Protein backbone atom coordinates (compact mmCIF):
# COMPACT_ATOMS: atom_id res chain seq x y z
CA UNK A 1 0.00 0.00 0.00
CA UNK A 2 2.72 2.43 1.06
CA UNK A 3 5.00 1.55 -1.89
CA UNK A 4 2.26 1.97 -4.44
CA UNK A 5 1.22 5.27 -2.81
CA UNK A 6 4.76 6.60 -3.26
CA UNK A 7 4.61 6.10 -6.99
CA UNK A 8 1.14 7.65 -7.45
CA UNK A 9 0.58 11.34 -8.09
CA UNK A 10 -1.19 13.10 -5.20
CA UNK A 11 -3.78 14.73 -7.51
CA UNK A 12 -4.81 11.36 -8.94
CA UNK A 13 -4.97 9.76 -5.48
CA UNK A 14 -7.00 12.67 -4.08
CA UNK A 15 -9.48 12.32 -6.96
CA UNK A 16 -9.74 8.57 -6.32
CA UNK A 17 -10.32 9.13 -2.56
CA UNK A 18 -12.99 11.80 -3.26
CA UNK A 19 -14.83 9.30 -5.48
CA UNK A 20 -14.29 6.42 -3.02
CA UNK A 21 -15.46 8.36 0.05
CA UNK A 22 -18.27 10.16 -1.86
CA UNK A 23 -17.02 13.63 -0.83
CA UNK A 24 -18.96 16.46 -2.44
CA UNK A 25 -16.53 19.12 -3.74
CA UNK A 26 -17.18 22.51 -5.26
CA UNK A 27 -16.43 23.33 -8.90
CA UNK A 28 -15.04 26.75 -9.93
CA UNK A 29 -14.83 28.24 -13.42
CA UNK A 30 -12.20 30.93 -13.89
CA UNK A 31 -11.85 33.36 -16.75
CA UNK A 32 -8.46 33.94 -18.42
CA UNK A 33 -6.19 36.08 -16.15
CA UNK A 34 -8.52 35.63 -13.14
CA UNK A 35 -6.69 35.51 -9.82
CA UNK A 36 -7.67 32.31 -8.03
CA UNK A 37 -6.01 33.32 -4.79
CA UNK A 38 -3.42 35.94 -3.87
CA UNK A 39 -0.30 35.65 -1.73
CA UNK A 40 -1.30 36.26 1.91
CA UNK A 41 -4.91 35.03 1.45
CA UNK A 42 -6.08 32.45 4.00
CA UNK A 43 -5.01 28.94 2.96
CA UNK A 44 -8.46 27.36 2.81
CA UNK A 45 -7.98 24.29 0.62
CA UNK A 46 -6.51 22.49 -2.39
CA UNK A 47 -7.45 22.97 -6.05
CA UNK A 48 -7.54 20.22 -8.69
CA UNK A 49 -7.32 21.34 -12.32
CA UNK A 50 -9.88 19.80 -14.65
CA UNK A 51 -8.94 21.90 -17.68
CA UNK A 52 -6.92 25.04 -18.41
CA UNK A 53 -3.57 26.40 -17.14
CA UNK A 54 -2.70 27.99 -13.79
CA UNK A 55 0.41 30.03 -13.03
CA UNK A 56 1.85 30.13 -9.51
CA UNK A 57 3.90 33.21 -8.73
CA UNK A 58 5.38 34.90 -5.72
CA UNK A 59 6.28 38.48 -4.88
CA UNK A 60 10.01 39.27 -4.78
CA UNK A 61 10.67 42.46 -2.83
CA UNK A 62 7.79 44.90 -2.88
CA UNK A 63 6.47 44.72 -6.41
CA UNK A 64 8.22 42.17 -8.64
CA UNK A 65 6.09 39.13 -9.31
CA UNK A 66 8.17 36.05 -10.02
CA UNK A 67 6.63 33.03 -11.82
CA UNK A 68 7.43 29.79 -10.00
CA UNK A 69 5.64 27.25 -12.19
CA UNK A 70 2.59 26.47 -14.31
CA UNK A 71 0.13 23.61 -13.86
CA UNK A 72 -2.28 21.95 -16.30
CA UNK A 73 -5.14 19.40 -16.34
CA UNK A 74 -4.76 16.65 -13.72
CA UNK A 75 -2.39 18.76 -11.55
CA UNK A 76 -3.17 20.17 -8.11
CA UNK A 77 -2.02 23.28 -6.25
CA UNK A 78 -2.53 25.08 -2.94
CA UNK A 79 -1.33 22.11 -0.86
CA UNK A 80 1.03 24.23 1.30
CA UNK A 81 -1.96 25.60 3.20
CA UNK A 82 -2.87 22.09 4.34
CA UNK A 83 0.64 21.31 5.53
CA UNK A 84 1.60 24.47 7.39
CA UNK A 85 -1.77 26.05 8.30
CA UNK A 86 -0.44 29.44 7.16
CA UNK A 87 -1.68 32.08 4.67
CA UNK A 88 -0.98 31.48 0.96
CA UNK A 89 2.76 31.76 0.26
CA UNK A 90 2.20 32.43 -3.46
CA UNK A 91 -0.52 33.63 -5.85
CA UNK A 92 -2.39 31.52 -8.39
CA UNK A 93 -3.81 32.90 -11.62
CA UNK A 94 -5.67 31.23 -14.49
CA UNK A 95 -3.83 31.88 -17.75
CA UNK A 96 -6.78 30.76 -19.91
CA UNK A 97 -10.40 29.76 -19.15
CA UNK A 98 -9.88 27.15 -16.46
CA UNK A 99 -12.11 24.63 -14.67
CA UNK A 100 -11.13 23.75 -11.10
CA UNK A 101 -12.32 21.51 -8.29
CA UNK A 102 -11.94 22.99 -4.82
CA UNK A 103 -11.37 20.63 -1.87
CA UNK A 104 -11.72 22.58 1.37
CA UNK A 105 -9.07 22.13 4.06
CA UNK A 106 -11.47 20.24 6.41
CA UNK A 107 -12.45 17.91 3.57
CA UNK A 108 -8.79 17.18 2.73
CA UNK A 109 -8.10 16.44 6.41
CA UNK A 110 -11.09 14.06 6.56
CA UNK A 111 -9.98 12.32 3.36
CA UNK A 112 -6.44 11.96 4.69
CA UNK A 113 -7.73 10.67 8.04
CA UNK A 114 -9.27 7.76 6.16
CA UNK A 115 -6.27 7.18 3.87
CA UNK A 116 -2.69 7.12 5.22
CA UNK A 117 -1.54 6.59 1.61
CA UNK A 118 -2.92 10.04 0.77
CA UNK A 119 -0.85 11.58 3.59
CA UNK A 120 2.35 9.90 2.37
CA UNK A 121 1.61 10.86 -1.19
CA UNK A 122 1.05 14.51 -0.23
CA UNK A 123 4.39 14.57 1.62
CA UNK A 124 6.15 13.00 -1.34
CA UNK A 125 4.66 15.50 -3.82
CA UNK A 126 5.43 18.35 -1.45
CA UNK A 127 9.10 17.43 -1.04
CA UNK A 128 9.47 16.91 -4.81
CA UNK A 129 8.04 20.36 -5.46
CA UNK A 130 10.29 21.92 -2.80
CA UNK A 131 13.31 20.31 -4.47
CA UNK A 132 12.22 21.60 -7.90
CA UNK A 133 11.63 25.10 -6.50
CA UNK A 134 15.05 25.07 -4.82
CA UNK A 135 16.89 24.07 -7.97
CA UNK A 136 14.85 26.67 -9.90
CA UNK A 137 16.04 29.35 -7.45
CA UNK A 138 19.65 28.15 -7.56
CA UNK A 139 19.55 28.40 -11.38
CA UNK A 140 18.03 31.89 -11.13
CA UNK A 141 20.66 32.93 -8.59
CA UNK A 142 23.49 31.72 -10.83
CA UNK A 143 21.97 33.61 -13.78
CA UNK A 144 21.54 36.80 -11.72
CA UNK A 145 25.12 36.52 -10.45
CA UNK A 146 26.35 35.97 -14.04
CA UNK A 147 24.48 39.07 -15.23
CA UNK A 148 25.77 41.20 -12.39
CA UNK A 149 29.30 39.94 -13.10
CA UNK A 150 28.89 40.95 -16.75
CA UNK A 151 27.61 44.35 -15.63
CA UNK A 152 30.68 44.84 -13.44
CA UNK A 153 32.96 43.74 -16.26
CA UNK A 154 31.26 46.18 -18.61
CA UNK A 155 31.74 49.03 -16.10
CA UNK A 156 35.37 48.09 -15.61
CA UNK A 157 35.98 48.03 -19.38
CA UNK A 158 34.31 51.40 -19.89
CA UNK A 159 36.39 52.93 -17.09
CA UNK A 160 39.67 51.47 -18.36
CA UNK A 161 38.97 52.44 -21.98
CA UNK A 162 38.64 56.10 -21.08
CA UNK A 163 42.38 56.70 -20.59
CA UNK A 164 43.63 55.40 -23.95
CA UNK A 165 40.65 57.00 -25.69
CA UNK A 166 41.47 60.41 -24.23
CA UNK A 167 45.07 60.10 -25.48
CA UNK A 168 43.78 59.06 -28.93
CA UNK A 169 41.47 62.09 -28.96
CA UNK A 170 44.38 64.41 -28.10
CA UNK A 171 46.60 62.75 -30.70
CA UNK A 172 43.89 63.03 -33.36
CA UNK A 173 43.58 66.77 -32.69
CA UNK A 174 47.35 67.22 -32.99
CA UNK A 175 47.57 65.07 -36.14
CA UNK A 176 44.78 67.08 -37.79
CA UNK A 177 46.02 70.52 -36.78
CA UNK A 178 47.18 72.61 -39.73
CA UNK A 179 49.66 74.42 -37.46
CA UNK A 180 51.40 71.25 -36.19
CA UNK A 181 54.87 70.51 -37.57
CA UNK A 182 55.44 67.28 -39.47
CA UNK A 183 57.41 65.97 -36.45
CA UNK A 184 54.49 66.64 -34.09
CA UNK A 185 52.08 64.94 -36.44
CA UNK A 186 54.29 61.88 -36.65
CA UNK A 187 54.51 61.76 -32.86
CA UNK A 188 50.71 62.03 -32.62
CA UNK A 189 50.26 59.21 -35.14
CA UNK A 190 52.69 57.04 -33.14
CA UNK A 191 50.76 57.72 -29.93
CA UNK A 192 47.45 56.87 -31.55
CA UNK A 193 48.94 53.64 -32.85
CA UNK A 194 50.35 52.75 -29.39
CA UNK A 195 47.01 53.43 -27.68
CA UNK A 196 45.06 51.42 -30.24
CA UNK A 197 47.43 48.52 -29.55
CA UNK A 198 46.92 49.03 -25.83
CA UNK A 199 43.13 48.93 -26.26
CA UNK A 200 43.44 45.72 -28.26
CA UNK A 201 45.58 44.11 -25.56
CA UNK A 202 43.24 45.25 -22.79
CA UNK A 203 40.28 43.71 -24.58
CA UNK A 204 42.25 40.52 -25.22
CA UNK A 205 43.14 40.34 -21.52
CA UNK A 206 39.48 40.73 -20.56
CA UNK A 207 38.50 38.06 -23.07
CA UNK A 208 41.18 35.81 -21.63
CA UNK A 209 39.90 36.36 -18.07
CA UNK A 210 36.26 35.84 -19.07
CA UNK A 211 37.16 32.61 -20.88
CA UNK A 212 39.09 31.39 -17.84
CA UNK A 213 42.19 30.73 -19.99
CA UNK A 214 45.40 30.14 -18.08
CA UNK A 215 48.15 29.56 -20.66
CA UNK A 216 50.38 32.61 -21.14
CA UNK A 217 53.62 32.61 -23.04
CA UNK A 218 56.60 34.39 -21.43
CA UNK A 219 59.31 35.71 -23.76
CA UNK A 220 62.80 36.97 -22.79
CA UNK A 221 62.61 40.76 -22.67
CA UNK A 222 65.12 43.49 -21.87
CA UNK A 223 63.76 45.13 -18.74
CA UNK A 224 65.32 48.56 -19.28
CA UNK A 225 63.94 48.85 -22.84
CA UNK A 226 60.57 47.60 -21.67
CA UNK A 227 60.38 50.26 -18.95
CA UNK A 228 61.43 53.03 -21.37
CA UNK A 229 58.61 52.07 -23.74
CA UNK A 230 56.13 51.85 -20.90
CA UNK A 231 57.01 55.30 -19.54
CA UNK A 232 56.63 56.77 -23.03
CA UNK A 233 53.21 55.16 -23.37
CA UNK A 234 51.78 56.42 -20.08
CA UNK A 235 53.41 59.79 -19.52
CA UNK A 236 50.99 61.67 -21.82
CA UNK A 237 47.86 60.48 -20.11
CA UNK A 238 49.38 61.01 -16.66
CA UNK A 239 50.42 64.53 -17.67
CA UNK A 240 46.79 65.26 -18.66
CA UNK A 241 45.88 64.34 -15.09
CA UNK A 242 48.76 66.42 -13.73
CA UNK A 243 50.45 63.35 -12.38
CA UNK A 244 54.22 63.17 -12.63
CA UNK A 245 55.81 59.75 -13.13
CA UNK A 246 59.33 59.45 -11.67
CA UNK A 247 61.69 56.49 -11.95
CA UNK A 248 63.72 56.82 -8.73
CA UNK A 249 66.53 54.61 -10.01
CA UNK A 250 67.60 53.22 -13.36
CA UNK A 251 65.75 50.07 -14.36
CA UNK A 252 68.38 47.30 -13.95
CA UNK A 253 69.86 45.80 -17.10
CA UNK A 254 68.22 42.42 -16.98
CA UNK A 255 66.59 40.05 -19.40
CA UNK A 256 63.42 38.67 -17.82
CA UNK A 257 60.85 36.17 -19.06
CA UNK A 258 57.78 38.41 -19.54
CA UNK A 259 54.46 38.64 -21.22
CA UNK A 260 54.86 42.35 -21.80
CA UNK A 261 51.30 43.15 -22.83
CA UNK A 262 49.97 41.53 -19.67
CA UNK A 263 52.58 43.17 -17.47
CA UNK A 264 51.62 46.53 -19.04
CA UNK A 265 48.21 45.90 -17.57
CA UNK A 266 49.68 45.68 -14.04
CA UNK A 267 51.45 49.02 -14.41
CA UNK A 268 48.45 50.70 -16.08
CA UNK A 269 46.21 49.54 -13.30
CA UNK A 270 48.53 50.68 -10.49
CA UNK A 271 49.06 54.06 -12.20
CA UNK A 272 45.33 54.52 -12.90
CA UNK A 273 44.42 53.67 -9.32
CA UNK A 274 47.03 56.09 -8.03
CA UNK A 275 45.76 58.92 -10.27
CA UNK A 276 42.15 58.15 -9.29
CA UNK A 277 43.18 58.91 -5.71
CA UNK A 278 44.99 62.12 -6.72
CA UNK A 279 42.25 64.08 -8.53
CA UNK A 280 44.22 67.31 -8.21
CA UNK A 281 47.41 65.75 -9.51
CA UNK A 282 50.44 64.35 -7.67
CA UNK A 283 53.46 62.12 -8.07
CA UNK A 284 54.02 58.43 -8.73
CA UNK A 285 57.44 57.03 -7.87
CA UNK A 286 58.74 53.73 -9.20
CA UNK A 287 61.75 51.97 -7.66
CA UNK A 288 63.58 48.80 -8.64
CA UNK A 289 65.28 46.58 -6.08
CA UNK A 290 67.36 43.79 -7.54
CA UNK A 291 67.86 40.76 -5.30
CA UNK A 292 69.65 37.48 -5.81
CA UNK A 293 66.61 35.69 -7.17
CA UNK A 294 64.10 38.35 -8.00
CA UNK A 295 63.47 41.90 -9.08
CA UNK A 296 61.17 43.88 -6.80
CA UNK A 297 59.23 46.80 -8.27
CA UNK A 298 57.73 49.36 -5.91
CA UNK A 299 55.08 51.84 -7.03
CA UNK A 300 54.15 54.56 -4.54
CA UNK A 301 51.95 57.58 -4.93
CA UNK A 302 51.49 60.89 -3.12
CA UNK A 303 47.75 60.30 -2.59
CA UNK A 304 45.98 59.78 0.75
CA UNK A 305 47.03 56.12 1.14
CA UNK A 306 44.79 53.20 2.08
CA UNK A 307 41.77 53.51 4.31
CA UNK A 308 42.43 51.85 7.70
CA UNK A 309 41.83 48.10 7.71
CA UNK A 310 41.53 47.53 3.95
CA UNK A 311 45.09 46.62 3.01
CA UNK A 312 44.48 42.88 3.44
CA UNK A 313 41.41 42.95 1.20
CA UNK A 314 42.75 44.92 -1.76
CA UNK A 315 43.47 41.91 -4.00
CA UNK A 316 40.18 40.13 -3.28
CA UNK A 317 38.04 40.08 -6.44
CA UNK A 318 35.26 42.71 -6.30
CA UNK A 319 36.71 44.50 -3.29
CA UNK A 320 36.31 48.20 -4.02
CA UNK A 321 36.25 51.18 -1.69
CA UNK A 322 35.98 54.92 -2.19
CA UNK A 323 35.61 54.81 -6.00
CA UNK A 324 32.24 55.51 -7.61
CA UNK A 325 33.24 53.60 -10.77
CA UNK A 326 35.15 50.90 -8.90
CA UNK A 327 34.62 47.27 -9.82
CA UNK A 328 37.21 45.73 -7.54
CA UNK A 329 38.63 43.68 -10.40
CA UNK A 330 41.79 45.64 -11.25
CA UNK A 331 44.09 44.46 -8.47
CA UNK A 332 42.84 40.88 -8.56
CA UNK A 333 43.67 40.78 -12.29
CA UNK A 334 47.11 42.26 -11.44
CA UNK A 335 47.62 39.49 -8.89
CA UNK A 336 46.79 36.82 -11.51
CA UNK A 337 49.20 38.37 -13.99
CA UNK A 338 52.08 38.71 -11.49
CA UNK A 339 51.53 35.16 -10.23
CA UNK A 340 51.47 33.87 -13.82
CA UNK A 341 54.97 35.38 -14.06
CA UNK A 342 55.99 33.43 -10.92
CA UNK A 343 56.01 36.56 -8.71
CA UNK A 344 54.10 38.01 -5.74
CA UNK A 345 52.23 41.28 -5.29
CA UNK A 346 51.28 43.09 -2.09
CA UNK A 347 50.38 46.49 -0.70
CA UNK A 348 52.13 48.24 2.16
CA UNK A 349 51.10 50.97 4.58
CA UNK A 350 53.53 53.56 5.89
CA UNK A 351 52.39 56.29 8.24
CA UNK A 352 51.83 59.57 6.41
CA UNK A 353 52.54 58.01 2.99
CA UNK A 354 50.32 57.39 -0.02
CA UNK A 355 49.48 54.01 -1.54
CA UNK A 356 52.46 51.64 -1.86
CA UNK A 357 52.33 48.54 -4.05
CA UNK A 358 55.19 46.09 -4.56
CA UNK A 359 55.53 43.13 -6.86
CA UNK A 360 58.32 40.74 -7.69
CA UNK A 361 59.42 39.02 -10.86
CA UNK A 362 61.76 36.03 -10.56
CA UNK A 363 65.14 36.29 -12.25
CA UNK A 364 65.98 33.52 -14.68
CA UNK A 365 68.04 30.75 -13.02
P1 LIG B 1 38.76 49.36 -8.27
O1 LIG B 1 39.85 50.36 -8.59
O2 LIG B 1 37.87 49.08 -9.43
O3 LIG B 1 38.00 49.67 -7.01
P2 LIG B 1 40.99 47.63 -7.70
O4 LIG B 1 41.05 46.15 -7.48
O5 LIG B 1 41.91 48.20 -8.73
O6 LIG B 1 39.48 47.95 -8.02
O7 LIG B 1 41.27 48.38 -6.30
C1 LIG B 1 40.60 47.95 -5.13
C2 LIG B 1 40.59 49.05 -4.10
O8 LIG B 1 41.93 49.29 -3.63
C3 LIG B 1 40.14 50.41 -4.59
O9 LIG B 1 38.73 50.50 -4.64
C4 LIG B 1 40.75 51.32 -3.53
O10 LIG B 1 39.92 51.40 -2.38
C5 LIG B 1 42.04 50.61 -3.14
N1 LIG B 1 43.21 51.25 -3.81
C6 LIG B 1 43.81 50.80 -4.93
N2 LIG B 1 44.85 51.60 -5.26
C7 LIG B 1 44.91 52.58 -4.32
C8 LIG B 1 45.76 53.70 -4.10
N3 LIG B 1 46.78 53.96 -4.91
N4 LIG B 1 45.51 54.49 -3.02
C9 LIG B 1 44.48 54.22 -2.17
N5 LIG B 1 43.64 53.15 -2.33
C10 LIG B 1 43.85 52.35 -3.38
Amino acid sequence: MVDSALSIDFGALLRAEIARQGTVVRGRDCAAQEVIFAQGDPGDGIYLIESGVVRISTLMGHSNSHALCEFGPGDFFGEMAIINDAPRSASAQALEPTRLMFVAKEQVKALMGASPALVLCLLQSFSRRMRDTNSHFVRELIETERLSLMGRFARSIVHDLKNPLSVIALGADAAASARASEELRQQARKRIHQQVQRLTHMLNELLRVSEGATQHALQPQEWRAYMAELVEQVSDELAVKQVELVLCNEPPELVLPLNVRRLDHVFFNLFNNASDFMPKGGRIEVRFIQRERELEVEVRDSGPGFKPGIVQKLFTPFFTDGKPTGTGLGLSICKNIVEDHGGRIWAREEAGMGGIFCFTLPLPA
Side-chain angles (χ1 to χ4, degrees):
M1 181 71 181
V2 167
D3 284 345
S4 63
L6 285 174
S7 59
I8 294 175
D9 169 67
F10 175 74
L13 199 59
L14 182 60
R15 277 188 173 80
E17 276 302 316
I18 288 169
R20 195 176 69 82
Q21 295 185 37
T23 308
V24 180
V25 294
R26 216 161 14 100
R28 178 171 167 187
D29 286 305
C30 301
Q33 310 308 322
E34 183 176 328
V35 174
I36 302 160
F37 56 74
Q39 192 167 334
D41 283 354
D44 50 358
I46 288 182
Y47 289 87
L48 292 162
I49 305 177
E50 301 286 284
S51 62
V53 179
V54 172
R55 172 178 291 164
I56 307 295
S57 53
T58 185
L59 284 178
M60 306 285 257
H62 290 300
S63 53
N64 281 347
S65 172
H66 186 87
L68 293 176
C69 52
E70 287 177 13
F71 292 125
D75 286 334
F76 67 96
F77 61 92
E79 77 284 10
M80 282 273 230
I82 307 300
I83 292 173
N84 62 11
D85 251 336
R88 298 287 187 195
S89 58
S91 302
Q93 185 183 27
L95 294 186
E96 56 184 63
T98 296
R99 169 99 188 133
L100 302 170
M101 266 185 1
F102 176 70
V103 195
K105 191 190 255 179
E106 295 317 316
Q107 290 180 310
V108 181
K109 283 185 178 163
L111 289 163
M112 289 199 299
S115 168
L118 196 58
V119 179
L120 273 172
C121 200
L122 175 62
L123 286 177
Q124 193 206 18
S125 298
F126 179 72
S127 70
R128 197 171 43 231
R129 283 187 177 177
M130 285 299 277
R131 237 191 349 252
D132 289 350
T133 309
N134 279 350
S135 53
H136 171 84
F137 272 117
V138 168
R139 275 198 306 276
E140 294 267 315
L141 203 68
I142 290 171
E143 181 61 7
T144 312
E145 193 47 38
R146 201 177 66 81
L147 288 177
S148 109
L149 196 68
M150 277 168 55
R152 290 188 207 184
F153 255 122
R155 282 197 334 167
S156 140
I157 294 166
V158 170
H159 182 59
D160 288 353
L161 293 187
K162 277 188 188 156
N163 291 314
L165 286 177
S166 64
V167 178
I168 290 175
L170 284 175
D173 284 348
S177 160
R179 278 177 293 140
S181 65
E182 185 48 36
E183 195 193 339
L184 263 176
R185 284 187 210 188
Q186 253 186 23
Q187 246 181 32
R189 278 199 291 272
K190 186 176 167 201
R191 267 177 212 148
I192 293 175
H193 184 69
Q194 275 177 341
Q195 298 301 322
V196 169
Q197 269 193 334
R198 178 175 160 194
L199 287 172
T200 313
H201 294 310
M202 270 167 59
L203 294 177
N204 284 343
E205 182 63 26
L206 276 164
L207 272 182
R208 209 197 298 262
V209 171
S210 65
E211 284 163 2
T214 52
Q215 291 301 312
H216 312 289
L218 303 182
Q219 302 284 345
Q221 174 75 33
E222 286 189 10
W223 181 253
R224 189 170 282 185
Y226 167 66
M227 282 311 299
E229 198 190 312
L230 181 90
V231 170
E232 193 192 323
Q233 269 199 68
V234 293
S235 39
D236 278 346
E237 72 188 59
L238 291 177
V240 171
K241 298 173 183 170
Q242 298 187 329
V243 172
E244 186 192 6
L245 177 65
V246 181
L247 299 191
C248 296
N249 55 342
E250 275 281 303
E253 281 209 66
L254 290 168
V255 175
L256 296 178
L258 303 180
N259 182 322
V260 288
R261 298 291 76 98
R262 298 192 75 217
L263 199 62
D264 280 353
H265 199 86
V266 175
F267 280 106
F268 293 152
N269 199 73
L270 296 180
F271 295 164
N272 286 342
N273 274 347
S275 9
D276 284 344
F277 280 90
M278 301 187 295
K280 293 192 176 136
R283 187 178 157 97
I284 297 176
E285 294 180 357
V286 181
R287 276 184 191 78
F288 308 98
I289 304 143
Q290 188 178 341
R291 302 221 171 80
E292 196 188 343
R293 286 163 190 246
E294 62 186 17
L295 171 69
E296 183 179 321
V297 181
E298 183 190 272
V299 177
R300 58 167 75 202
D301 61 63
S302 59
F306 308 120
K307 282 216 190 126
I310 69 166
V311 110
Q312 308 304 331
K313 304 180 201 157
L314 298 180
F315 298 92
T316 309
F318 303 119
F319 174 81
T320 179
D321 188 271
K323 288 174 73 170
T325 56
T327 61
L329 287 172
L331 288 175
S332 66
I333 292 180
C334 291
K335 183 168 183 280
N336 283 342
I337 296 174
V338 170
E339 287 177 356
D340 285 343
H341 280 80
R344 296 162 289 125
I345 186 166
W346 67 97
R348 207 172 68 225
E349 280 175 300
E350 267 180 39
M353 303 303 281
I356 308 175
F357 287 92
C358 305
F359 66 89
T360 60
L361 294 168
L363 302 189

